[in-house]
Every structure is written in structure tokens, then in C-alpha cells.
């Protein structure tokens, strides 16, 4: 276990005392954990099937053909139908446990004599209704959230890795290296970000990884700049001079003196970077330049919703979900900023 | 300081070349070349709209009917037959004499197409700017003076929503709620179809009706940042020694705020002023797309979708120049309002 220094403990305490931010952090973490296990909550595969005395757990792993359960087909079992069938057969010991939302994000729930989108209904377990092709909105929201948040986290990790490395080097060594990157960053940050990504996306259809790559290529400058400035500041402080005077190597000065003191800069920006990641991915998806269909995504739902305003449940679900998540992220961000900021306002009456 | 600004202006040139070369190269990277791509798409889409316009006036029966010779002609016409760097230099040469080329979609000069969209974007840009500053500065002051009061807390919640939720989501939300559900406002566009036939006051009302929702979305974006900036800057200054001294010497609190603290608190606001220049003209393509406003942003988006690269490049030229000039303007504003700032000496620019 890492030993926390007293300052970090104090900051954590201060963070916990800011209720809004703390509860947001708890609920967002909970959402994250739940979304990792989304297959257990939102899925068209059953959680558990008891068929003729044998137990099946179909959630993970290869699909079970319909013949397993005495159904006359070789493709994947339709567990909702199976449940229905078993329910109608009286006097069997068989049972099926379905997840809370028994639909997958890709499956079109088509009915006879009725056309999607279907409005929200507890009876059919489409809690938030379906989209225009009959896919469950809640299922797409949940899986869309999982993709958006993991996209955002990956983007954050890459951007910060590059940003901290280059920024720290720029601030520490200065000179020609610093100048070169300064110019590069100036040009790079003047490139209209979304615009260029849209051009690239119109050339090659991006997948998850290429989209992360492209976003990193055009998004690493922000953190680099902040790190450069704060390294620059720290470098001239007495404790760094003292360390150097005592003969500390560059590596030691950077890793055990400067970096720990710039951590607060990095941490403060994390929530806002996450929010930006989610926002940009959703914007790209909304415009049709993001992840290819049928990937579940908030942006795609938004664009479906705005094209079909007469079915307000589509737009409403996404807007509320997105608003809630971003609000939580921002609350966390504010709380972190306050916890890490030793400056409290002394206010004059 | 003059030399600093001259250097900044001169630095626009390499930055501009860097940005435009990058985007120019990207537009050339379309596999198989954009012409083939256009033709394929035209052939696939059959005779759908735009097919004939896309190949620049050729009868759009489908790309496959074009001979190799015609194809070469087309390529030469759009400069796709040369290496990237050479055609970039040719393009740059044309830009220098203010010729942005011809749109592949509309077949008219790029500049004319772009110019037509300016009034709409400027209308939204200027209105947003006035509303933002008109509301945010007083609100920020009020919030700073009544820090931690219920007024401050309630407005904080609203401001926070605007801060956390991106403006396009706000746009979609208000569109669904006010235009679709309650039908209070039109669904989009800049004016109604029968705009020409209306009387003057009806025209004003029509523009206003169409503008309310997009303006709400635009405001949501800039509102929170400016208000919080104003509030925090003023609070910083209120806690500063010179205000304390002024009050201690018997100056009324109000007077201390408005005469002393406020002036210094406007400095951060001035920093962001220049970047508004590009926002005024270019708007946001997300909001313009949501509300179907035929402005600068929507034009850029549509030309990207249709691969109308002359327009894409034209918009890039204008928006990046505006952005670069806006940055310098910001610095000039800061130097004007803050006599302590001396650009050009060490570190001040960083």
C-alpha cells in the first residue's frame, strides 16, 4: 500500500467534506462498476436457466443454440420466448431468470401490426421505449455510456501521458527543445479540432481505437502546456535548487521533487478532461462522424431523437442521462479543485 | 511592446501555413482520390440530388460513363493531378490574391458562397456577445458581493447546469421542449418561408421567434464561464489589501467595489474578448445544424459531408485567420486595461 503523505490525506478529507462532489464521486463510481457488469443487467441472454434439471448461465461465453433447450432452431436461443414458453407450460420445474432489461443494444424488437419506435412501457420492459428501429433505448444508453466513459478514460490516459512527459521536459530543459514544441503547439492548437476529425472521419470510417488515436493526435497540447508552465514555476523554487545543489540527478529532481508537486495540476484537470471526452465523442457521433453504426452511442440516439421529435422519449432519455453524468463529473471537478486549492476566500464585509 | 505585437502578427504567417498545409494534405488523402470517390458515390446514389453538381456540371448519369480522358480533365480542373505540395502552393498563391477557388457543389466562387452566410452568423454572434456581457458582468458582480447568500446559491445552480452541459445538448433539449412539445417557437431556420410577405414588425417578430432557442443554446455555453470568471476575479480583488485599505480609511463599501475592485476585475474578461471575434463570425456548426440555421457553421458542415473541399479550405482560411487575429486582439485588450502587463519581457506572454 502506498503511504499517503499528510497533505494528501488532508486534501482527501477536504474532498470528502464537500458533499456534492463526494456523493457525485460515489455515484459515478457506482455507475462505472455497474456498467462494467452491464451484461448482467441489460442483456437479451438469460442470467440463469434451469432446464430439465440442468443449470445454464448463458450471459458470458459462446451462445447456446436453441436446440439446447429443445427449441427447433440452431441459432442463438431467444430467451424471452423461452421464458414465455416455460411460463405457459404448466407443471415443469424449469425456469428462466432474465436480466432487468431483457434486451441487447443491437437487437431490433419487431412486432406484428406495430411499427417502432415504441413508447416507454413497463409491461414490455422497454423502460425508456425503443428507438426508430426497435432497439431498446435504455440498453443503448447503458452500453453507450460504457463506450463513452471508457473512450474518455483512455483518451485521458494517453493525453496526460504525452502531456506530462513532453510538458515536463519542456519546462525542465527549456532551450531549443522548448522553443520547438512551443511553435509546434501553437500551430497544432490552431488546427480546428472537430473540423479536422470530421475530415479524417469522412476519409476513413473510424473505429474505437483509430478515433482515440486521432483525438490524441489533436488533443495532447492542453495538458502539455499546463505541465510546461507548472514545471517551469517549480523549477525555480528553492527546494528544487536545494535538491540540485545537493547533487540530485535530473531524473531524481523530476520524479521525486517536481512531479509530486505538479500532481495537483494534473488531478484538477482530470474531471474536466473526462467531460470533454464524453462531449466530443457524443458530438462526433451526433454529426455522424464518430463510431460506426450500430455501435450504441449517445450521439447517435441524439441525432435519431432530433430527427424524430414526435417521439420525445428518445431525446429526453439521452439529454437527462448525459446531463446527469456531466453534472456529476463537473461537481467532482469543482470539489477536487476546492480540495486542492489552499486559497480560501477571505471575504470582507 | 510594439515590437512584441509586430512579432505576433508576423507569427501568424507560419502558423497559418502550418494549419492550412495540414488540412490541405488531409483533404488530398482520400483513398482513390476525391474525384473517383465522388463518381463512385454518384453512381451508387443513382441520380439522387447533387450527383450532377458534384462532378461539376457533367450530366450526372453516373460516374462509370465518364471516359478516362474526361476524368483526367476533371482532375486537372481541381488540381488533383499534381503532388500535394505543388498544388498546395498553387492554392496558397490564389489565396494571396483573395481567390478561394470555386465550389465543387454549387459551382460558384467560394467567397460568394461564404459571404452569403455571414449576415446570419454575425446576427447570432453579436446578439450572443451583447447578451453575454450584458447579463454576465452584472450577475457576476451581484454574486460576488452576495457570496454564499441564497441568491448566489440559486444562480450558481443554474450557471452550473450551463457549465456542465454542452451547448448543443442544451440546444437539443430546448428544441424538443419548447418547439416540439409545447410548440411555442418554430422548429428551426432563420426566418419563416413567408418572410418576404410580412410587414416590418412581423418580420422583426419572426426573426426574434426563430432566434430565441438558438440564442439560449449559444448563451448556455458562454454564460457560465463569463459569470464565474467575473465573480472569482471580483472576489479575488475584494480580498486584496488595497480594497481593505480603502474601506479601512472610511470609503463606502459600494464605492470601494465599483471604483477600485471592479476595474481590476474586468481584466480577465478582457482576455477572453478577442476570441469572441471568431465566434461572432463562425458560430457553432453543432447549434446551426440542430436549428437548421443557414449560417457559416452549417455551410462548413455540409461541405464536409459533400466533400466540397474548396469551401472546406475557404472556411478554414477565414476561421483560422480570425482566430489568430482574435488572439492578438485579446492580448492588446489586456495590455490596454492592465498597465502592469508588458508583453515581450520574459514570461509575460506564457
Amino acid at each position: 500500500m502506498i503511504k499517503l503523505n499528510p497533505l494528501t490525506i488532508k486534501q482527501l478529507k477536504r474532498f470528502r467534506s464537500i458533499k456534492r462532489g463526494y456523493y457525485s464521486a460515489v455515484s459515478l463510481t457506482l455507475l462505472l462498476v455497474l456498467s462494467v457488469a452491464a451484461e448482467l443487467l441489460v442483456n437479451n441472454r438469460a442470467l440463469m436457466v434451469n432446464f430439465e434439471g440442468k443449470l445454464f448461465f448463458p450471459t458470458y461465453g459462446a451462445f447456446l443454440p436453441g436446440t439446447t433447450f429443445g427449441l427447433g432452431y440452431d441459432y442463438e436461443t431467444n430467451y424471452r420466448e423461452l421464458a414465455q414458453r416455460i411460463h405457459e407450460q404448466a407443471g415443469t420445474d424449469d425456469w428462466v431468470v432474465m436480466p432487468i432489461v431483457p434486451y441487447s443494444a443491437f437487437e431490433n424488437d419487431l412486432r406484428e401490426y406495430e411499427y417502432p419506435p415504441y413508447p416507454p412501457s413497463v409491461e414490455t420492459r422497454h423502460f425508456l421505449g425503443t428507438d426508430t428501429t426497435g432497439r431498446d433505448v435504455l440498453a443503448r444508453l447503458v452500453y453507450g455510456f460504457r463506450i463513452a466513459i471508457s473512450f474518455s478514460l483512455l483518451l485521458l490516459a494517453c493525453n496526460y501521458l504525452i502531456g506530462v512527459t513532453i510538458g515536463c521536459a519542456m519546462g525542465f530543459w527549456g532551450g531549443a527543445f522548448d522553443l520547438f514544441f512551443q511553435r509546434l503547439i501553437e500551430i497544432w492548437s490552431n488546427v480546428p479540432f472537430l473540423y479536422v476529425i470530421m475530415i479524417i472521419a469522412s476519409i476513413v470510417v473510424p473505429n474505437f481505437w483509430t478515433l482515440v488515436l486521432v483525438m490524441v493526435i489533436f488533443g495532447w497540447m492542453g495538458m502539455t502546456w499546463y505541465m510546461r508552465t507548472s514545471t517551469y514555476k517549480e523549477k525555480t523554487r528553492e527546494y528544487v535548487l536545494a535538491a540540485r545543489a545537493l547533487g540530485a540527478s535530473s531524473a531524481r529532481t523530476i520524479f521525486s521533487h517536481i512531479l509530486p508537486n505538479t500532481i495537483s495540476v494534473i488531478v484538477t484537470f482530470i474531471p474536466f478532461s473526462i467531460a470533454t471526452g464524453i462531449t466530443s465523442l457524443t458530438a462526433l457521433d451526433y454529426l455522424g462522424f464518430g463510431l460506426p453504426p450500430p455501435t450504441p452511442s449517445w450521439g447517435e440516439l441524439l441525432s435519431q431523437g432530433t430527427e424524430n421529435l414526435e417521439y420525445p422519449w428518445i431525446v429526453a432519455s439521452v439529454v437527462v442521462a448525459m446531463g446527469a453524468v456531466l453534472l456529476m463529473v463537473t461537481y467532482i471537478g469543482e470539489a477536487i479543485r476546492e480540495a486542492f486549492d489552499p486559497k480560501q476566500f477571505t471575504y470582507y464585509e | 511592446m510594439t515590437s512584441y505585437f509586430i512579432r505576433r502578427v508576423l507569427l501568424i504567417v507560419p502558423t497559418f501555413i502550418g494549419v492550412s498545409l495540414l488540412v490541405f494534405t488531409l483533404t488530398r488523402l482520400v483513398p482513390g482520390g476525391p474525384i473517383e470517390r465522388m463518381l463512385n458515390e454518384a453512381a451508387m446514389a443513382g441520380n439522387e440530388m447533387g450527383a450532377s453538381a458534384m462532378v461539376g456540371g457533367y450530366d450526372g448519369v453516373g460516374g462509370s460513363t465518364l471516359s478516362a480522358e474526361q476524368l483526367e480533365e476533371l482532375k486537372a480542373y481541381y488540381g488533383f493531378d499534381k503532388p500535394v505540395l505543388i498544388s498546395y502552393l498553387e492554392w496558397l498563391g490564389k489565396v494571396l490574391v483573395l481567390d478561394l477557388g470555386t465550389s465543387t457543389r454549387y459551382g460558384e466562387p467560394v467567397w460568394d458562397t461564404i459571404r452569403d452566410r455571414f449576415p446570419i452568423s454575425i446576427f447570432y454572434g453579436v446578439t450572443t456577445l451583447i447578451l453575454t456581457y450584458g447579463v454576465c458582468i452584472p450577475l457576476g458582480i451581484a454574486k460576488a458581493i452576495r457570496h454564499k447568500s441564497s441568491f448566489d446559491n440559486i444562480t450558481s445552480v443554474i450557471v452550473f447546469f450551463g457549465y456542465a452541459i454542452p451547448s448543443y445538448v442544451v440546444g437539443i433539449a430546448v428544441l424538443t421542449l419548447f418547439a416540439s412539445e409545447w410548440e411555442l417557437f418554430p422548429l428551426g431556420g432563420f426566418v419563416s418561408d413567408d418572410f418576404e410577405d410580412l410587414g416590418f414588425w412581423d418580420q422583426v417578430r419572426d426573426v426574434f421567434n426563430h432566434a430565441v432557442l438558438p440564442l439560449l443554446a449559444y448563451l448556455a455555453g458562454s454564460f457560465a464561464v463569463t459569470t464565474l470568471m467575473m465573480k472569482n476575479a471580483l472576489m479575488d480583488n475584494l480580498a486584496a489589501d488595497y480594497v481593505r485599505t480603502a474601506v479601512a480609511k472610511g470609503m463606502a463599501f459600494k464605492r470601494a467595489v465599483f471604483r477600485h475592485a471592479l476595474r481590476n476585475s474586468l481584466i480577465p474578461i478582457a482576455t477572453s474578448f478577442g476570441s469572441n471575434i471568431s465566434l461572432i463570425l463562425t458560430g457553432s456548426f453543432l447549434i446551426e445544424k440542430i436549428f437548421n440555421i443557414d449560417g457559416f457553421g452549417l455551410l462548413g458542415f455540409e461541405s464536409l459531408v459533400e466533400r466540397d473541399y474548396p469551401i472546406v479550405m475557404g472556411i478554414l482560411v477565414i476561421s483560422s485567420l480570425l482566430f489568430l487575429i482574435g488572439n492578438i486582439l485579446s492580448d492588446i485588450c489586456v495590455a490596454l486595461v492592465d498597465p502592469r502587463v508588458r508583453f515581450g519581457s520574459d514570461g509575460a506572454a506564457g
Side-chain angles (χ1 to χ4, degrees):
Chain A
M1 194 65 197
I2 347 151
K3 217 177 117 219
L4 297 170
N5 74 36
L7 182 66
T8 319
I9 295 171
K10 205 173 159 193
Q11 282 163 342
L12 279 177
K13 269 196 187 137
R14 210 168 332 151
F15 179 76
R16 278 195 66 159
S17 73
I18 303 165
K19 287 284 171 287
R20 261 195 329 208
Y22 178 65
Y23 289 127
S24 300
V26 171
S27 18
L28 197 65
T29 318
L30 195 72
L31 277 182
L32 258 175
V33 173
L34 285 180
S35 81
V36 171
E39 276 85 0
L40 296 173
L41 299 168
V42 181
N43 204 345
N44 59 351
R45 290 184 177 184
L47 288 176
M48 237 202 265
V49 182
N50 180 9
F51 187 74
E52 293 173 350
K54 254 171 80 186
L55 277 178
F56 295 89
F57 299 92
T59 307
Y60 297 101
F63 76 84
L64 301 169
T67 46
T68 324
F69 303 108
L71 300 164
Y73 50 81
D74 278 330
Y75 50 88
E76 178 158 24
T77 317
N78 185 332
Y79 293 97
R80 287 193 305 273
E81 270 174 28
L82 183 68
Q84 190 76 32
R85 227 171 106 123
I86 290 174
H87 188 71
E88 281 159 10
Q89 275 173 357
T92 55
D93 290 336
D94 302 344
W95 41 261
V96 179
V97 181
M98 290 301 286
I100 303 166
V101 179
Y103 297 97
S104 87
F106 300 103
E107 170 194 34
N108 308 77
D109 182 20
L110 298 174
R111 305 172 194 164
E112 280 174 72
Y113 314 115
E114 208 183 339
Y115 294 98
Y118 314 124
S121 135
V122 178
E123 198 188 323
T124 56
R125 296 237 197 155
H126 284 301
F127 295 106
L128 296 176
T130 73
D131 68 2
T132 45
T133 48
R135 295 174 298 199
D136 187 67
V137 171
L138 183 57
R140 291 188 70 78
L141 269 186
V142 169
Y143 287 96
F145 169 72
R146 184 157 85 172
I147 290 173
I149 199 90
S150 41
F151 178 86
S152 209
L153 288 173
L154 190 67
L155 189 67
L156 175 106
C158 298
N159 274 342
Y160 279 34
L161 189 69
I162 298 175
V164 170
T165 316
I166 296 180
C168 206
M170 280 169 77
F172 191 75
W173 279 297
F177 181 78
D178 186 26
L179 264 179
F180 171 75
F181 272 99
Q182 269 190 49
R183 283 283 83 76
L184 189 74
I185 287 175
E186 176 155 344
I187 293 177
W188 224 240
S189 44
N190 278 307
V191 172
F193 175 69
L194 275 180
Y195 213 60
V196 168
I197 291 179
M198 278 159 64
I199 295 178
I200 296 175
S202 69
I203 296 169
V204 282
V205 176
N207 61 30
F208 185 83
W209 301 103
T210 48
L211 204 59
V212 170
L213 184 75
V214 174
M215 298 269 273
V216 168
I217 290 177
F218 292 97
W220 55 276
M221 299 85 63
M223 200 58 217
T224 311
W225 201 249
Y226 290 122
M227 270 311 282
R228 173 187 174 270
T229 323
S230 53
T231 312
Y232 206 76
K233 265 188 210 153
E234 294 298 324
K235 200 182 107 181
T236 52
R237 301 273 288 269
E238 282 82 358
Y239 71 90
V240 175
L241 292 180
R244 305 227 72 174
L246 284 169
S249 65
S250 295
R252 193 185 160 83
T253 322
I254 292 177
F255 288 110
S256 54
H257 295 287
I258 294 181
L259 270 186
N261 282 298
T262 51
I263 280 283
S264 66
V265 178
I266 303 170
V267 174
T268 320
F269 279 106
I270 286 178
F272 301 100
S273 307
I274 291 180
T276 317
I278 297 177
T279 313
S280 347
L281 179 68
T282 311
L284 280 175
D285 282 338
Y286 173 76
L287 295 169
F289 289 104
L291 299 169
T295 318
S297 94
W298 289 1
E300 191 259 348
L301 272 177
L302 269 182
S303 90
Q304 261 196 38
T306 41
E307 276 158 28
N308 303 285
L309 282 171
E310 62 272 33
Y311 313 118
W313 59 86
I314 304 178
V315 173
S317 315
V318 202
V319 170
V320 170
M322 201 170 168
V325 167
L326 289 179
L327 213 57
M328 279 194 275
V329 172
T330 320
Y331 278 146
I332 298 172
E334 286 297 302
I336 289 181
R337 180 178 284 174
E338 227 172 294
F340 275 75
D341 184 12
K343 187 181 68 181
Q344 307 277 336
F345 283 114
T346 42
Y347 186 61
Y348 192 85
E349 284 289 353
Chain B
M1 196 143 83
T2 321
S3 71
Y4 170 76
F5 282 113
I6 291 175
R7 212 172 67 222
R8 283 292 300 271
V9 172
L10 287 180
L11 269 176
I12 285 184
V13 177
T15 311
F16 175 74
I17 289 179
V19 171
S20 57
L21 180 61
L22 181 90
V23 178
F24 191 87
T25 316
L26 276 178
T27 60
R28 298 284 149 138
L29 284 181
V30 184
I35 303 274
E36 279 93 331
R37 183 128 184 166
M38 280 186 230
L39 293 178
N40 281 339
E41 273 172 12
M44 268 193 284
N47 247 341
E48 268 179 54
M49 49 158 267
S52 54
M54 261 196 244
V55 289
Y58 280 84
D59 216 47
V61 221
S64 47
T65 52
L66 280 183
S67 68
E69 214 172 293
Q70 282 170 312
L71 207 67
E72 287 308 308
E73 258 176 50
L74 256 182
K75 276 190 178 179
Y77 180 70
Y78 290 120
F80 282 114
D81 54 342
K82 301 183 196 75
V84 173
L85 208 58
I86 291 174
S87 53
Y88 172 73
L89 287 176
E90 277 180 8
W91 174 82
L92 195 64
K94 277 189 187 164
V95 170
L96 284 179
V97 293
L98 302 179
D99 172 15
L100 291 174
T102 313
S103 157
T104 52
R105 187 163 49 128
Y106 299 111
E108 37 177 298
V110 170
W111 173 243
D112 292 355
T113 317
I114 292 177
R115 198 186 47 202
D116 289 346
R117 308 295 180 104
F118 267 135
I120 296 177
S121 292
I122 290 176
F123 169 78
Y124 279 110
V126 172
T127 323
T128 310
L129 192 71
I130 294 172
L131 283 176
T132 308
Y133 285 117
V135 176
C136 292
I137 294 179
L139 185 65
I141 297 172
K143 279 169 72 67
I145 293 178
R146 293 176 206 167
H147 182 54
K148 295 249 155 114
S149 69
S150 53
F151 166 77
D152 181 40
N153 289 336
I154 292 168
T155 44
S156 280
V157 171
I158 302 168
V159 165
F160 223 86
F161 267 97
Y163 181 62
I165 299 164
S167 50
Y168 68 90
V169 177
V170 174
I172 290 172
V174 291
L175 181 77
T176 319
L177 213 58
F178 295 111
S180 171
E181 277 297 291
W182 296 334
E183 298 182 0
L184 291 174
F185 297 104
L187 274 169
F190 186 61
V191 290
S192 303
D193 294 334
D194 57 349
F195 186 69
E196 297 294 322
D197 308 327
L198 296 173
F200 178 74
W201 286 112
D202 282 335
Q203 283 189 340
V204 171
R205 225 187 42 209
D206 191 51
V207 170
F208 177 79
N209 265 342
H210 281 86
V212 172
L213 296 182
L215 279 178
L216 260 178
Y218 271 121
L219 271 179
S222 49
F223 191 70
V225 180
T226 318
T227 310
L228 289 179
M229 208 185 329
M230 184 67 222
K231 184 192 171 193
N232 290 340
L234 190 58
M235 299 231 330
D236 271 340
N237 277 309
L238 285 180
D241 289 338
Y242 70 92
V243 175
R244 188 176 316 212
T245 315
V247 179
K249 282 170 75 181
M251 186 184 253
F253 181 63
K254 259 215 168 94
R255 203 171 141 84
V257 171
F258 287 101
R259 287 292 296 268
H260 293 276
L262 182 60
R263 278 173 108 185
N264 288 322
S265 315
L266 287 174
I267 293 169
I269 303 277
T271 331
S272 67
F273 187 77
S275 55
N276 285 320
I277 301 287
S278 57
L279 192 75
I280 285 180
L281 287 169
T282 53
S284 146
F285 58 82
L286 278 162
I287 294 178
E288 290 193 358
K289 183 177 183 287
I290 291 164
F291 291 101
N292 200 19
I293 300 163
D294 227 356
F296 199 79
L298 191 63
L299 178 71
F301 174 74
E302 279 172 352
S303 37
L304 264 179
V305 176
E306 307 274 350
R307 298 200 169 74
D308 190 349
Y309 291 126
I311 291 202
V312 170
M313 288 308 292
I315 285 179
L316 181 85
V317 169
I318 293 171
S319 57
S320 59
L321 279 182
L322 282 174
F323 187 70
L324 290 168
I325 293 169
N327 278 346
I328 297 177
L329 274 180
S330 283
D331 283 357
I332 294 178
C333 282
V334 171
L336 282 180
V337 293
D338 190 351
R340 287 169 303 182
V341 172
R342 286 282 167 268
F343 286 112
S345 49
D346 267 345

